[in-house]
Amino acid sequence: MSKTIAIAGMGWLGLPLAQRLKTLGYHVKGSVTQLEKATMLQQNGLEVFQVTITEDGVQGSARGFLKNADVIIVMIPPGLRRNTGSDYVLKMSHFLAEIEQAKIANCIFVSSISVYGDDQGLVTEKDIPKPENEAGRQIFQTEQLFFTSTCKTSILRFGGLFGGSRQPARYLAGRENLNGADAPVNLIHRNDCIGIIAEIIKQDAYGHIFNAVHPDHPVKADYYTQKTKDLRLEAPNFSKPDGTELYKQINSVNLTDILAYSFKNSL
């Protein structure tokens, strides 16, 4: 009997992930926050539920979404960059309570490398994160909630995401006096995000932390200058480093040691 996978967040990553998991023979369910989007996806043959998570609790069809799921993949963005004062930890604690009540055995919690501070330099999963801003602190707290829950959880810390219509070089094209010329890039293609998640499920690799970042780390100025050139866009201009900056470089030992994962897409 195939496993039932519930994906909380059917967006830029969740939707193609659902399609991949279906081709692998899993039964897939998804959730979105807007009823209109749920209806549209249902009309396209997907089993999708409208679920909204707020600081007051979980509204919508959470029970139907979580019912009989063997694995829950949580990829709900915190939205903390907009400085709304939102309490992501509180929101996700409400959702985790629903997950635990549904007695789902396993979870993949999609996190971010923003839990690491720049002054930590080169880090792997063996290093304890030292977040340097409120977003990083809230994400790290939420990781800990899930990691210690009754649902056995693997934490997946994604680097900067690209692929499909999302190409960071487009946002930097033509910009002036950008900082971080010498910073190593910490990126991952959407196809590898999907591949890593699929391997965690296939191998029942729960209870681990994975830094999901491509092992190549060209410096920011070189990388984005070349990428804008490839896209026939105006190259960005970087301010000259003064030699005192500290930058993080995210490496992974667990992708190799636990999953034996090989990256499919180059930078």
Side-chain angles (χ1 to χ4, degrees):
M1 191 171 79
S2 68
K3 290 180 180 176
T4 296
I5 315 294
I7 302 174
M10 293 282 276
W12 176 84
L13 177 57
L15 193 54
L17 171 63
Q19 292 164 342
R20 170 74 69 83
L21 293 177
K22 285 182 71 174
T23 65
L24 294 174
Y26 298 108
H27 174 214
V28 180
K29 301 195 285 184
S31 77
V32 294
T33 57
Q34 297 177 329
L35 184 59
E36 297 82 3
K37 185 175 181 180
T39 302
M40 179 190 72
L41 292 174
Q42 288 164 2
Q43 290 170 348
N44 289 328
L46 293 167
E47 187 176 354
V48 180
F49 299 79
Q50 187 267 327
V51 178
T52 305
I53 305 167
T54 71
E55 292 169 6
D56 296 320
V58 181
Q59 288 85 40
S61 306
R63 290 187 179 178
F65 168 56
L66 298 172
K67 186 178 180 182
N68 296 328
D70 300 293
V71 180
I72 173 80
I73 303 170
V74 180
M75 48 178 68
I76 299 171
L80 296 168
R81 291 181 181 175
R82 296 188 290 271
N83 297 316
T84 57
S86 174
D87 191 334
Y88 181 64
V89 182
L90 179 58
K91 288 181 182 178
M92 298 310 292
S93 67
H94 290 312
F95 190 46
L96 179 57
E98 295 282 345
I99 292 170
E100 291 182 323
Q101 188 172 348
K103 292 182 168 50
I104 299 175
N106 298 307
C107 174
I108 298 170
F109 178 77
V110 172
S111 181
S112 164
I113 61 169
S114 65
V115 297
Y116 297 109
D118 277 339
D119 61 359
Q120 291 191 252
L122 194 155
V123 294
T124 71
E125 297 94 343
K126 298 180 186 298
D127 294 284
I128 297 173
K130 297 176 182 176
E132 59 188 11
N133 55 41
E134 180 61 20
R137 282 188 286 273
Q138 287 207 40
I139 294 169
F140 186 40
Q141 279 184 259
T142 306
E143 281 187 5
Q144 292 172 302
L145 280 178
F146 275 81
F147 205 57
T148 57
S149 72
T150 58
C151 183
K152 193 172 184 181
T153 299
S154 275
I155 306 296
L156 196 48
R157 294 173 179 154
F158 281 140
L161 304 170
F162 73 102
S165 61
R166 184 178 293 190
Q167 174 46 260
R170 295 186 187 279
Y171 306 114
L172 299 183
R175 292 179 60 181
E176 298 287 332
N177 296 317
L178 293 171
N179 295 324
D182 290 339
V185 301
N186 296 290
L187 298 172
I188 182 169
H189 193 279
R190 177 169 62 182
N191 290 345
D192 282 306
C193 297
I194 292 170
I196 290 167
I197 291 171
E199 281 300 313
I200 292 173
I201 296 169
K202 178 183 175 182
Q203 299 184 35
D204 286 320
Y206 302 103
H208 304 288
I209 296 171
F210 298 99
N211 287 345
V213 176
H214 195 280
D216 293 340
H217 301 277
V219 299
K220 192 173 178 182
D222 292 346
Y223 178 76
Y224 287 111
T225 298
Q226 184 60 50
K227 280 297 174 184
T228 49
K229 182 179 178 181
D230 294 343
L231 293 166
R232 298 183 180 180
L233 300 171
E234 183 182 355
N237 175 266
F238 288 85
S239 58
K240 188 175 181 180
D242 64 13
T244 64
E245 298 92 344
L246 296 170
Y247 304 116
K248 61 189 174 189
Q249 178 176 312
I250 312 300
N251 289 355
S252 175
V253 294
N254 288 346
L255 286 180
T256 302
D257 292 353
I258 296 172
L259 291 185
Y261 186 79
S262 297
F263 279 79
K264 310 299 187 290
N265 284 75
S266 67
L267 295 182

